Amino acid sequence: MGRNPWFETVAEAQRRAKKRLPSTVYGALVAGSERGRTIDDNTAAFAELGFAPRVVGHHAERDLSTTVLGVPLSFPVLISPTGVQAVDPEGEVAVARAAASRGVVMGLSSFASRAVEEVAEAQPDLFYQLYWSGTRATMVQRMDRAKAAGAKALIVTLDWSFSHGRDWGSPAIPDRLDLKTMLRFAPDVLPHPGWLLRFAKSRRLPDLSVPNLRPPGGEAPTFFGAYGEWMQTTPPTWQDVAWLRAEWGGPFLLKGVTRVDDARRAVDAGVSALSVSNHGGNNLDTTPATIRMLPAIADAVGHQIEVLLDGGVRRGGDVAKALALGARAVLIGRAYLWGLAANGQAGVENVLDILRGGLDSAVLGLGHSSVHELTPDDLVIPPGFRLELGARSGHDSPAARA
């Protein structure tokens, strides 16, 4: 009798992903910049928060549903855009199908391994993610393509410095999978026949090209080709953000905010929503956990725009804590990638079910009938837990206006 493919926790999904994947592929999922302190704090901070449950007055039925940027969600979790999902041959399409089956939004990276049209067909509730990369004309062409595919909102990620300092992880990633490269990585790949068999059955090699950045009439760049374009693009100003928002013309989410002054400038630039994010620990290491910075940002701008959070969410209880501190919803990244690696589309559905079940248990135990009733009073918050970055530096200063 084979092993039950269902798992009970995200930690078990991670364990199975580590066992199934070649170490280089798994390492790319878990590695962060420099010493990995931000990754550690993203998860540890949730554990520092406690719940204050009620003993009587529980509700037999709980409403977990919400909306983000006008799109209904069965519960307040979105799939965060992550690049080149080579952990499974179906990649982003499998994730999109899982998201559709569980009633959540799929965020698709512009660095994805599958085309936006193909992913949108699997999950029409799609948010497309864009970096400030290339010329303005190039970015308009990419936005127009996403809009034509049916994307309902744009996610703009601006917090990526992608430090070259990787003290403890980030393995070498090949630019292309030619015969020479496959021979070089064979000692790492051959001990993982299950991963190889998946790709063999699908008759697909892990794809390291970036089809969503293919120019009209041209070829898709490799991941590192796309990365090189980003590196050579002059970083944007707040005026550029406002231009992007106007060019898109629809719901617009700015991802990567950690400071109150940046949150206020985002509102000034006309964004519809923001995500408190440190790029999952892949930006500047020792940036604090996002859950520590969420309350100040939600207090500052949450009455004007929707505030989301990503970073470190591993349990449904983590989702409840984020909502209690002011988030409308959370985005998950590594958690669903581990599910994808462990069991394909069913593994992603498994992860979403775990998070939904944990959130429902928290709402029940706290005596609420809806996720919208969660407040800081439901939590035990240690002294000094909340951090308010950029609160004293005026967002109308010359530096902030640039």
Side-chain angles (χ1 to χ4, degrees), residues 79-82 85 95 107 332-341 348 351:
I79 297 294
S80 188
T82 61
Q85 295 174 10
V95 177
I332 60 168
R334 289 182 176 90
Y336 80 79
L337 289 174
W338 292 328
L340 181 65
V348 180
V351 165

Side-chain angles (χ1 to χ4, degrees), residues 71 88 105-106 120 131 147 182 197 289 308 321 323 349 379:
V71 178
D88 183 88
V105 164
M106 167 78 176
Y131 290 102
K147 197 177 298 181
M182 287 189 281
L197 184 60
L308 287 76
K321 291 171 182 178
L323 300 183
E349 293 169 347
L379 304 181

Side-chain angles (χ1 to χ4, degrees), residues 53-302:
R54 299 179 187 276
V55 69
V56 175
H58 297 152
H59 296 267
E61 296 182 3
R62 279 83 54 199
D63 181 10
L64 305 185
S65 65
T66 191
T67 61
V68 170
L69 295 176
V71 178
L73 281 75
S74 65
F75 71 113
V77 169
L78 296 82
I79 297 294
S80 188
T82 61
V84 189
Q85 295 174 10
V87 300
D88 183 88
E90 290 297 310
E92 292 85 359
V93 173
V95 177
R97 290 174 182 151
S101 73
R102 295 306 187 262
V104 301
V105 164
M106 167 78 176
L108 180 70
S109 173
S110 55
F111 278 37
S113 61
R114 304 295 282 268
V116 60
E117 294 84 2
E118 188 178 10
V119 177
E121 186 176 347
Q123 167 54 313
D125 288 335
L126 183 74
F127 291 0
Y128 184 73
Q129 180 267 343
L130 185 76
Y131 290 102
W132 182 263
S133 179
T135 65
R136 285 193 171 199
T138 298
M139 286 182 265
V140 168
Q141 178 266 321
R142 292 167 181 169
M143 286 189 285
D144 287 346
R145 179 181 172 185
K147 197 177 298 181
K152 295 183 175 179
L154 188 72
I155 301 174
V156 174
T157 304
L158 299 181
D159 67 330
W160 190 29
S161 66
F162 209 85
S163 168
H164 291 282
R166 306 264 153 168
D167 296 6
W168 59 279
S170 203
I173 301 173
D175 195 33
R176 297 181 186 276
L177 281 182
D178 52 21
L179 179 60
K180 182 179 179 181
T181 301
M182 287 189 281
L183 289 173
R184 180 160 60 93
F185 281 88
D188 182 38
V189 172
L190 291 177
H192 301 273
W195 183 76
L196 276 175
L197 184 60
R198 279 195 195 183
F199 281 94
K201 286 181 176 179
S202 71
R203 298 182 179 180
R204 296 177 65 102
L205 285 173
D207 192 353
L208 301 180
S209 66
V210 185
N212 292 315
L213 302 188
R214 178 187 289 114
E219 294 186 359
T222 65
F223 176 87
F224 286 105
Y227 177 58
E229 179 194 79
W230 169 80
M231 288 186 68
Q232 295 170 46
T233 304
T234 302
T237 65
W238 283 111
Q239 286 79 11
D240 292 325
V241 175
W243 172 81
L244 266 180
R245 190 268 309 157
E247 285 292 327
W248 173 254
F252 185 104
L253 189 156
L254 179 64
K255 189 171 182 291
V257 176
T258 59
R259 297 170 57 102
V260 170
D261 51 358
D262 277 351
R264 289 178 174 142
R265 287 299 295 152
V267 171
D268 292 345
V271 309
S272 317
L274 63 82
S275 182
V276 182
S277 173
N278 51 36
H279 213 104
N282 279 297
N283 191 25
L284 296 177
D285 195 30
T286 70
T287 300
T290 52
I291 192 67
R292 301 186 192 278
M293 301 177 287
L294 169 66
I297 292 172
D299 288 347
V301 302

